[in-house]
Amino acid sequence: MCFRNLVVLATARLLPLWFFMPQAQATIRALPISDAGEIRALTAICGGKKAAYYDEKSNVLCIDGQFDVEGRLERMITGRSYRDDLVVVAKSPGGGLQTALDTTRYLERYHYTIIVDGLCASACAQFLFMGGTYKIVTGKGIVAMHGGPMSAAYIDKMSITPEGKANLRRENEEFREFYRTHGIDVAITTNAPQSVLDAMKKGETLFWAPPRAEFERSGVKNVRFVDADIMRQ
């Protein structure tokens, strides 16, 4: 009898240790996110996190930094995969058009919700914000523009190399194509208040935040502004 038991044990299939360990459960959340408490909890995950940080358990990607033209931030974000219905909590002054656009295209495959909980300006506003399936702006959030795509005539007058002009034409056509494919009027990136336009004519670089109604008029879908008093509850 003992011998028979030994044979059974010897021929039994050995299972790896992880088979007996509890597996991490993927976060399942209702979309669109509407509860102020949940939004507070998601932004809290990113408190103090710089550059690009991914919390795998909650499926939250924290972006806090500039899209440098060398592509360092882009590589940190696109160098890994995520789960579907990703949440992106973003703070960024913008940066390189191409790196921000390429990053947005990569993240769009995960149907991300973007939460702006600080300044999201320039390329962050133009691409990362607009590419979100759902878009949330907290009481501390600012979505700020400072200009749209350049015209071909403007590029032709620039004192740069022919190669530089060709690159600018390509980038600006990709800019327009992004807005066309998303059904957004690109004029939202240039409809600045007159005071801003006057200052820009003098060579100043300024940002402005489009009014809430401008997003709807321009075809930007699924935008929710969460006022500061609601976030504090």
Side-chain angles (χ1 to χ4, degrees), residues 124-199:
C124 176
Q126 293 161 339
F127 303 115
L128 191 64
F129 182 76
M130 299 300 184
T133 302
Y134 299 103
K135 308 163 187 71
I136 298 170
V137 184
T138 72
K140 297 187 297 181
I142 301 173
V143 179
M145 304 293 179
H146 82 129
M150 303 174 188
S151 67
Y154 182 86
I155 294 173
D156 287 340
K157 294 178 181 178
M158 297 178 71
S159 300
I160 56 176
T161 65
E163 182 182 2
K165 291 180 179 180
N167 288 335
L168 275 179
R169 290 191 194 97
R170 175 184 52 78
E171 286 184 356
N172 281 269
E173 181 50 39
E174 288 189 43
F175 193 134
R176 295 183 182 90
E177 181 62 20
F178 177 86
Y179 276 73
R180 281 195 293 267
T181 57
H182 287 74
I184 301 172
D185 185 353
V186 74
I188 191 174
T189 65
T190 56
N191 285 341
Q194 189 59 49
S195 59
V196 173
L197 293 175
D198 292 341

Side-chain angles (χ1 to χ4, degrees), residues 8 14 18 35 52 61 65 70 77 92-93 98 102 105 112 135 141 156-157 159 170 177 189 191 195 200 229 232:
V8 171
L14 295 177
W18 57 259
D35 180 72
L61 172 63
E70 294 82 9
I77 296 169
S92 172
Q98 194 66 57
D102 290 344
R105 286 171 172 158
Y112 67 93
K135 308 163 187 71
D156 287 340
K157 294 178 181 178
S159 300
R170 175 184 52 78
E177 181 62 20
T189 65
N191 285 341
S195 59
M200 291 175 73
D229 57 341
R232 283 197 296 267

